[in-house]
Amino acid sequence: MGSAHSVPAEMRALADRTGFTSEQIEHLHRRFRQLSRDQLTIRKENFDSIPDLEFNPIRAKIVHAFFDKRNLRQESSGLADEINFEDFLTIMSYFRPIEMNMDEEQLDRFRKEKLKFLFHMYDSDHDGKITLQEYRNVVEELLSGNPHLEKESARSIADGAMMEAASICVGQMGPDQVYEGITFEDFLKMWQGIDIETKMHVRFLNMETIAHCY
Amino acid sequence: MRQVSSVGLLLGLMALPAALGERSSESPPKHNQTSFEIVSFKWDHVKDTYVIILWILVASLAKIVFHLSHKVTRVVPESALLIVLGIILGGIVLAADHIASFTLTPQVFFFYLLPPIVLDAGYFMPNRLFFGNLGSILMYAVIGTVWNAATTGLSLYGVYLTGIMGNLGSGLLDFLLFGSLIAAVDPVAVLAVFEEVHVNEVLFIIVFGESLLNDAVTVVLYNVFETFVRLGPEKVTGIECVKGIVSFFVVSLGGTLVGILFAFLLSLVSRFTKHVRIIEPGFVFIISYLSYLTAEMLSLSSILAITFCGICCQKYVKANISEQSATTVRYTMKMLASGAETVIFMFLGISAVNPAIWTWNTAFILLTLVFISVYRVIGVVIQTWILNHYRMVQLEIIDQVVMSYGGLRGAVAFALAALLKEDYVKDRNLFVSTTIIVVFFTVIFQGLTIKPLVQWLKVKKTEHREPKLNEKLHGRAFDHILSAIEDISGQIGHNYLRDKWSNFDRKFLSKVLMRRSAQKSRDRILNVFHELNLKDAISYVAEGERRGSLAFIRSPSTDNMVNVDFNTPRPSTVESSVSYLLREKAGPVCLDMQALEQRRKSIRDTEDTVAHHTLQQYLYKPRQEHKHLYSRHEIMHSEDEKQDKEIFHRTMRKRLESFKSTKLGINHSKKLNKIHKRDRGQKRRNSNVIPNGKIPSEISVQDFTLKEKDLEFSEAEENNDYETLHLGKGVDFLADVTKQNFTENSTGIDNPVFSADDDQSIYMKFSPWLSSEDTVVPSQRARVQIPYSPNNFRRLTPFRLSNKSVDSFLLADGPEDRPRSFLPESTHM
């Protein structure tokens, strides 16, 4: 699968699994081959060839997410060395916009999946908890785009955010109680009332796109 | 009713001199004065201005009167009340004068009343929301307005041909001219009504954005058809029509460009106003007004110009000007806009009472009302159907109903109608009176019913949520993730463009247009953080004040210590904040625990220092008195203000730290201080307790360099007290030297709750150096200290030994991107 000669049946299977239309899959496939230089798989180094990505402060985290086995719907955890086209599509499908005809249950699952992706991105040591240190790292990276901001600020912002999370998720705490980190349940709680499905989406166009690559 | 009569009385007083003035102008005043008059009555001398000011006063008083009764204002929108009041006043004037002497002239409206409202709209425009929906807004503004104008005009003409309307002197072009001026949704009316309705932000921005941006279309259509009418139908050729279409692009893009150019100029100017803080807010108004006038001069869309001037400059201006100036700008702008709006609606009412303009044509008026409503609905439904294919957030049927219903017409249409000349538009009076009816109908009837409609339809309303730090952080992460995904998948989408723009902005625009210190603190996340902290502190202190004392912050002895009980229900003013939530949930135990411990431990150590320091403060008392002189170019900060700030800051930090240390199980030594650009170098670093701690020495080195930077910034921003800086530097140095010692012999304290408080350590460890330093250079506060400070502030004197001016970092931290919630955000105050 994911080869240059994808037969319609295979395409349909992919479309079923990921929810993309066949045109979108074709375009993404073209892009995939461009990135992989006509190989069947993509390695981390391939992402270096995207010039626009260079200025992204959390670039490493994003690229990482592509190789994170938790995101690839595989049972094991850990990191993949390379991903094939189907994996690529799987990752991309996290960013599909909601569809008109989704019912409540589907919407909920859809939402959870998106959040899970985000959660995995923060939880870099795969222990199912975003610890303070992990959060700090993310915030530091996020704010690294601003050269005038010191690391200390980032840290205290992360601390403040963590406190906020603690107060949302745990509520009343004893004086000696320690909040260890944000679990996925807590994460869901924090996102309550915020329409992630309208925020976390990319419009995958059906038309030919301009691709930067060198 | 009593209020109305009192207003009427006021007006009677006003009309009397007006009548007097007229009579006296008929008989020219005698100049053969025989002797010097001690007092003379010069009504003519001040008449015009006097009347204007009186009108404004009446309008403002009327607003007060309306709000005496909440029942009325909850049901009836203010704009409708003002129109009714205007009609009543107009009737009184007419009865007294027998001619309608006051009307809303287009000149006054376009030059003085409209600009403040539009500037306010632009300057406080939620940019992200606006640009996120720009496509839809443009569609409604351009295509929707053209559609409305064309269909209304043509349908009226079609009906006219059947002969129902009787005999009018108008041709097709006149009807199209009328259609073009009645088509546009009015920004003033929409704002006035929608601000009271609180529909969800997407819906609001679409209707409101449309009303702002359709100005270009209206102006062009109006000008084109006006010229056509003047030329006569026989001279209208295809070339003229093409010219009209070209002129649309020139007018709209030109107006936008003028706005952007002036926004650039304004941002640049605001970068260099450091030494003229007092006139700083003035630039905002003057330069934006210039953009309006320039666009008007070039016959471009002036509304677009001033809107985009506001939209583009807001980020840089808010970052550049000081916090006080920002507040001034905010208040002045709201005041002007609100005042202008009040006057507009009242004068709309007054203008209606003018027998000279009334020409009644039932069929024409009724059909106009029917057509504009029907075509608005049709237009909205068709356009939304198209747009929904491309929109992420779908506009549902309920939204469409509100959008159609919210298509209010207002003063712009009236002013345009009043601008028509009877010489070539034969039915000018009919057009004017119909416009008035339409405006009244939409503002009063639709304005009155839209609220129940919104409630009945259960339109999604805005949720007033406090900005949460996590949300902001995730939002930021989203921006980057999405743009990265677009990069990877090779799409050029919305996120891609936004990402590229923000890169461009960061690399070039901000460098040119922002002060260096502003570049540092402009980060939105930082702002939210800062804001939350500030709010937190404010409510904390408010709580203390409510209980009658500030002693809870620090008290020198355990006897009069007041522990804050956070469980008591508090007034609703601060209730909604996140911080309140924090405190409510987890505050009681840990804060009190820590506070108790700290006090017990530190009291003995500090009491001596405290006493000395208090003495010192009072020794310098006489010196500060000449500081309270009048100055036109500087505002003296009242002592209370400074103290408040300091108290806020301190308690906030304290509270947050104690909270954190318990919550997160980490040491509180290195939080927050960087945020506030205030270095409390005297930190105890209990590195053993830090879960993922760094090596202490590494931190201190890093801290030192950072501190140098901070100092630089405060130097740049500090405008009056160099001495403070000097002091700051000295203490900084000391602090750093000693801190290294600290880190070397730092001992691990298992529970940070029981660690000595940072600020106490100032007294404990540094008093020898510090006191010597202090005797040489008194702290800024010591110099400005008011001898008898009110309430319990004196308790805090010992803790004023700040090594850097609090105000300076507050200034540097000041700019915020969002009006704070306790400041007025709507034009209705």
Side-chain angles (χ1 to χ4, degrees):
Chain A
M1 65 182 79
S3 73
H5 318 282
S6 30
V7 287
E10 206 170 312
M11 181 84 93
R12 217 172 303 128
L14 272 180
D16 282 347
R17 231 167 303 163
T18 57
F20 285 114
T21 66
S22 50
E23 283 111 325
Q24 284 167 336
I25 292 178
E26 235 168 81
H27 288 301
L28 284 173
H29 188 232
R30 216 167 297 151
R31 180 67 178 170
F32 181 82
R33 273 169 46 200
Q34 202 177 15
L35 288 177
S36 65
R37 291 165 205 275
D38 283 333
Q39 301 299 304
L40 287 181
T41 54
I42 282 187
R43 306 180 71 82
K44 259 190 179 171
E45 302 81 69
N46 292 109
F47 285 99
D48 295 338
S49 64
I50 306 169
D52 293 316
L53 212 56
E54 222 170 288
F55 304 107
N56 205 315
I58 51 169
R59 162 178 194 286
K61 283 246 175 325
I62 294 164
V63 174
H64 200 86
F66 272 82
F67 298 91
D68 194 328
K69 280 187 182 158
R70 289 173 299 177
N71 291 336
L72 297 173
R73 307 217 169 100
Q74 295 172 5
E75 293 310 310
S76 58
S77 75
L79 276 186
D81 291 329
E82 46 185 26
I83 52 169
N84 58 22
F85 180 60
E86 196 188 351
D87 297 335
F88 185 74
L89 270 188
T90 308
I91 299 290
M92 283 296 173
S93 71
Y94 282 107
F95 293 92
R96 271 186 318 121
I98 38 168
E99 264 143 55
M100 293 290 279
N101 48 11
M102 279 187 170
D103 57 22
E104 280 299 313
E105 196 187 329
Q106 276 174 314
L107 210 66
D108 197 52
R109 208 176 51 230
F110 198 60
R111 194 181 138 86
K112 260 194 188 143
E113 270 178 16
K114 278 175 188 283
L115 284 174
K116 200 124 206 161
F117 182 84
L118 202 64
F119 184 78
H120 290 160
M121 209 148 123
Y122 287 151
D123 178 24
S124 51
D125 65 356
H126 301 233
D127 67 348
K129 247 179 212 156
I130 303 173
T131 58
L132 182 64
Q133 197 53 42
E134 282 167 345
Y135 210 164
R136 277 181 179 173
N137 287 342
V138 175
V139 175
E140 261 170 41
E141 277 179 32
L142 269 179
L143 295 176
S144 63
N146 185 346
H148 304 287
L149 217 65
E150 285 92 14
K151 273 198 168 170
E152 286 281 313
S153 312
R155 281 168 163 274
S156 37
I157 287 175
D159 293 350
M162 198 70 172
M163 266 168 56
E164 201 183 82
S167 75
I168 292 172
C169 306
V170 183
Q172 189 92 27
M173 283 174 82
D176 303 322
Q177 201 177 339
V178 165
Y179 188 62
E180 283 171 4
I182 304 167
T183 61
F184 186 63
E185 279 69 43
D186 293 347
F187 200 65
L188 282 179
K189 240 186 254 173
M190 281 160 58
W191 278 95
Q192 235 157 34
I194 305 168
D195 300 335
I196 185 170
E197 56 272 16
T198 59
K199 281 185 181 156
M200 187 167 154
H201 72 91
V202 172
R203 188 176 301 284
F204 292 99
L205 301 173
N206 286 328
M207 52 178 215
E208 194 58 72
T209 53
I210 307 162
H212 298 269
C213 202
Y214 54 75
Chain B
M1 212 49 226
R2 185 158 38 84
Q3 287 106 356
V4 174
S5 69
S6 70
V7 175
L9 193 72
L10 195 78
L11 189 96
L13 283 176
M14 214 171 68
L16 188 69
L20 281 175
E22 262 161 44
R23 227 164 288 141
S24 67
S25 61
E26 278 158 18
S27 57
K30 288 163 193 150
H31 288 287
N32 49 352
Q33 279 181 344
T34 47
S35 65
F36 177 75
E37 287 174 49
I38 297 169
V39 179
S40 54
F41 185 69
K42 293 194 209 161
W43 167 247
D44 279 333
H45 186 56
V46 294
K47 188 176 121 194
D48 293 341
T49 325
Y50 206 90
V51 169
I52 293 169
I53 299 299
L54 272 183
W55 275 120
I56 296 173
L57 179 68
V58 170
S60 317
L61 286 178
K63 259 193 143 167
I64 301 178
V65 172
F66 295 152
H67 284 276
L68 287 179
S69 160
H70 283 293
K71 266 189 211 137
V72 175
T73 42
R74 209 180 304 138
V75 180
V76 188
E78 220 179 57
S79 44
L81 285 174
L82 281 167
I83 286 182
V84 173
L85 173 77
I87 293 175
I88 296 169
L89 291 184
I92 297 172
V93 172
L94 190 69
D97 253 9
H98 297 292
I99 52 155
S101 25
F102 306 101
T103 48
L104 185 64
T105 59
Q107 171 85 6
V108 171
F109 174 73
F110 282 119
F111 272 63
Y112 305 111
L113 295 176
L114 190 56
I117 296 176
V118 182
L119 175 63
D120 175 70
Y123 191 75
F124 296 109
M125 180 70 76
N127 275 353
R128 204 186 158 115
L129 201 59
F130 178 74
F131 286 110
N133 292 296
L134 190 62
S136 315
I137 292 172
L138 278 178
M139 171 123 178
Y140 288 117
V142 178
I143 299 183
T145 309
V146 171
W147 157 265
N148 279 352
T151 49
T152 310
L154 288 174
S155 307
L156 281 174
Y157 183 65
V159 176
Y160 165 66
L161 287 183
T162 65
I164 300 175
M165 294 178 199
N167 211 2
L168 295 173
S170 301
L172 173 63
L173 286 175
D174 300 71
F175 278 100
L176 285 175
L177 175 60
F178 177 69
S180 69
L181 69 86
I182 205 78
V185 176
D186 183 71
V188 185
V190 165
L191 251 192
V193 169
F194 270 71
E195 281 209 334
E196 295 179 26
V197 177
H198 306 295
V199 293
N200 64 69
E201 48 190 9
V202 175
L203 194 53
F204 176 76
I205 202 79
I206 286 178
V207 178
F208 177 52
E210 176 200 342
S211 70
L212 276 177
L213 298 194
N214 65 19
D215 174 64
V217 185
T218 315
V219 167
V220 171
L221 283 179
Y222 180 81
N223 285 341
V224 166
F225 287 119
E226 211 223 332
T227 321
F228 286 178
V229 169
R230 208 174 337 159
L231 290 176
E234 61 279 355
K235 292 208 179 127
V236 178
T237 57
I239 298 167
E240 299 291 326
C241 295
V242 174
K243 270 192 200 163
I245 294 168
V246 173
S247 88
F248 164 70
F249 289 101
V250 175
V251 165
S252 53
L253 296 179
T256 310
L257 197 69
V258 166
I260 292 172
L261 282 179
F262 274 89
F264 188 82
L265 181 72
L266 172 55
S267 312
L268 202 63
V269 168
S270 74
R271 200 188 155 170
F272 302 103
T273 50
K274 195 167 71 193
H275 301 292
V276 285
R277 290 275 189 222
I278 286 295
I279 60 166
E280 201 172 57
F283 286 116
V284 177
F285 297 98
I286 289 170
I287 295 179
S288 3
Y289 192 45
L290 262 187
S291 76
Y292 186 87
L293 292 180
T294 310
E296 195 73 47
M297 180 175 76
L298 300 172
S299 70
L300 303 171
S301 167
S302 42
I303 293 189
L304 276 186
I306 199 166
T307 306
F308 274 94
C309 184
I311 287 178
C312 298
C313 78
Q314 52 167 280
K315 178 177 174 190
Y316 308 105
V317 169
K318 281 174 186 169
N320 279 337
I321 61 180
S322 70
E323 195 174 14
Q324 285 96 335
S325 302
T327 313
T328 312
V329 168
R330 197 153 52 218
Y331 268 99
T332 316
M333 210 170 265
K334 291 294 178 199
M335 190 193 77
L336 288 178
S338 180
E341 190 190 278
T342 311
V343 170
I344 286 174
F345 281 117
M346 197 178 75
F347 268 81
L348 268 180
I350 294 176
S351 310
V353 189
N354 186 356
I357 58 162
W358 279 103
T359 310
W360 191 266
N361 185 330
T362 317
F364 186 78
I365 291 171
L366 278 183
L367 283 172
T368 308
L369 279 177
V370 170
F371 285 143
I372 60 163
S373 316
V374 169
Y375 288 123
R376 168 93 189 159
V377 174
I378 296 175
V380 165
V381 169
I382 293 175
Q383 290 173 81
T384 315
W385 182 76
I386 297 171
L387 281 173
N388 271 348
H389 288 285
Y390 300 97
R391 282 185 64 88
M392 185 59 222
V393 185
Q394 299 282 311
L395 293 167
E396 280 153 34
I397 295 188
I398 290 175
D399 297 328
Q400 294 175 34
V401 171
V402 175
M403 278 165 61
S404 324
Y405 206 72
L408 307 174
R409 282 22 174 217
V412 173
F414 172 74
L416 286 176
L419 264 181
L420 294 174
K421 297 277 180 304
E422 196 146 22
D423 305 344
Y424 44 87
V425 186
K426 306 251 169 23
D427 294 310
R428 172 187 181 262
N429 282 349
L430 177 63
F431 289 170
V432 173
S433 31
T434 311
T435 310
I436 290 178
I437 294 287
V438 168
V439 171
F440 285 9
F441 177 79
T442 53
V443 172
I444 296 179
F445 179 72
Q446 290 182 201
L448 208 65
T449 46
I450 197 164
K451 225 180 211 175
L453 184 80
V454 164
Q455 269 156 10
W456 183 64
L457 289 174
K458 296 195 183 65
V459 178
K460 244 196 268 166
K461 301 225 180 164
T462 35
E463 320 142 36
H464 280 289
R465 271 187 304 125
E466 296 293 318
K468 283 192 188 131
L469 208 51
N470 276 307
E471 214 180 306
K472 287 276 167 189
L473 283 173
H474 293 318
R476 178 68 68 90
F478 269 156
D479 286 355
H480 291 306
I481 294 170
L482 294 185
S483 68
I485 294 296
E486 283 191 0
D487 288 339
I488 291 170
S489 64
Q491 316 259 346
I492 295 195
H494 186 66
N495 296 299
Y496 176 87
L497 291 176
R498 183 171 61 218
D499 192 50
K500 291 293 152 301
W501 167 256
S502 66
N503 275 341
F504 171 74
D505 175 65
R506 192 169 55 237
K507 274 195 208 134
F508 304 105
L509 274 182
S510 292
K511 288 224 168 95
V512 180
L513 297 178
M514 273 196 205
R515 291 185 192 162
R516 275 184 59 212
S517 54
Q519 286 172 36
K520 176 182 174 155
S521 59
R522 88 202 148 100
D523 209 290
R524 286 190 87 108
I525 292 178
L526 206 63
N527 282 331
V528 175
F529 184 63
H530 176 71
E531 225 164 84
L532 282 176
N533 281 342
L534 213 65
K535 225 178 268 170
D536 200 23
I538 288 169
S539 53
Y540 183 76
V541 173
E543 170 68 15
E545 274 172 348
R546 199 177 61 79
R547 307 176 120 251
S549 166
L550 279 170
F552 66 94
I553 292 166
R554 293 286 172 74
S555 51
S557 79
T558 13
D559 297 334
N560 57 359
M561 183 172 68
V562 180
N563 269 314
V564 191
D565 180 14
F566 289 108
N567 287 326
T568 43
R570 63 200 64 218
S572 58
T573 43
V574 289
E575 214 135 16
S576 52
S577 72
V578 180
S579 40
Y580 176 69
L581 196 81
L582 295 185
R583 185 164 48 242
E584 188 72 339
K585 294 277 165 56
V589 195
C590 57
L591 186 91
D592 277 8
M593 284 289 291
Q594 171 138 13
L596 270 167
E597 281 307 318
Q598 277 167 4
R599 284 195 189 111
R600 219 162 274 155
K601 279 205 166 191
S602 56
I603 284 153
R604 241 164 266 143
D605 293 315
T606 49
E607 234 161 6
D608 279 5
T609 344
V610 164
H612 279 297
H613 197 72
T614 318
L615 265 177
Q616 249 174 27
Q617 296 242 307
Y618 285 90
L619 278 180
Y620 287 97
K621 201 166 54 187
R623 259 231 254 155
Q624 46 86 24
E625 268 163 20
H626 51 90
K627 268 227 161 191
H628 287 273
L629 291 174
Y630 168 79
S631 164
R632 183 176 299 150
H633 306 290
E634 245 176 279
I635 295 177
M636 302 298 174
H637 301 292
S638 76
E639 190 62 16
D640 282 2
E641 205 177 302
K642 271 186 196 165
Q643 279 167 331
D644 283 354
K645 275 183 181 172
E646 175 144 357
I647 293 161
F648 288 166
H649 182 69
R650 282 173 178 281
T651 49
M652 162 188 79
R653 209 184 57 230
K654 205 81 268 157
R655 225 187 54 64
L656 226 59
E657 279 187 2
S658 58
F659 181 75
K660 270 202 267 180
S661 56
T662 17
K663 265 280 150 74
L664 306 173
I666 48 158
N667 178 281
H668 59 78
S669 58
K670 39 178 188 165
K671 255 125 279 140
L672 277 169
N673 35 354
K674 274 300 141 212
I675 292 299
H676 308 294
K677 291 158 200 76
R678 181 178 180 282
D679 33 353
R680 299 168 301 118
Q682 312 74 11
K683 280 180 284 188
R684 219 170 237 259
R685 304 194 169 275
N686 308 328
S687 53
N688 300 6
V689 214
I690 307 171
N692 305 295
K694 284 199 205 169
I695 307 153
S697 61
E698 179 195 318
I699 298 166
S700 61
V701 171
Q702 182 199 357
D703 263 11
F704 188 76
T705 47
L706 292 173
K707 213 160 293 162
E708 284 295 301
K709 257 189 243 161
D710 279 353
L711 219 54
E712 205 180 291
F713 280 119
S714 64
E715 198 158 19
E717 286 299 303
E718 202 65 53
N719 43 14
N720 46 4
D721 41 2
Y722 52 94
E723 275 179 279
T724 322
L725 197 77
H726 178 65
L727 176 75
K729 226 168 207 163
V731 176
D732 269 338
F733 175 70
L734 283 171
D736 278 296
V737 170
T738 8
K739 190 182 54 187
Q740 269 158 359
N741 297 342
F742 261 112
T743 46
E744 275 157 29
N745 14 328
S746 68
T747 48
I749 297 173
D750 285 323
N751 191 343
V753 172
F754 296 100
S755 70
D757 168 39
D758 292 337
D759 283 69
Q760 254 80 45
S761 61
I762 302 175
Y763 303 105
M764 294 195 289
K765 312 292 177 188
F766 297 118
S767 34
W769 301 288
L770 214 53
S771 58
S772 67
E773 186 85 30
D774 232 20
T775 43
V776 182
V777 191
S779 76
Q780 180 200 8
R781 179 147 287 101
R783 281 181 286 119
V784 203
Q785 176 71 37
I786 289 178
Y788 304 105
S789 52
N791 40 47
N792 276 349
F793 283 137
R794 266 190 297 147
R795 287 185 195 289
L796 290 150
T797 42
F799 305 100
R800 276 190 212 120
L801 187 67
S802 65
N803 41 10
K804 207 180 279 182
S805 150
V806 182
D807 303 312
S808 68
F809 70 74
L810 274 175
L811 278 181
D813 244 4
E816 79 242 16
D817 271 331
R818 219 175 48 78
R820 228 170 264 149
S821 62
F822 49 83
L823 289 167
E825 266 186 86
S826 77
T827 6
H828 297 269
M829 301 198 194

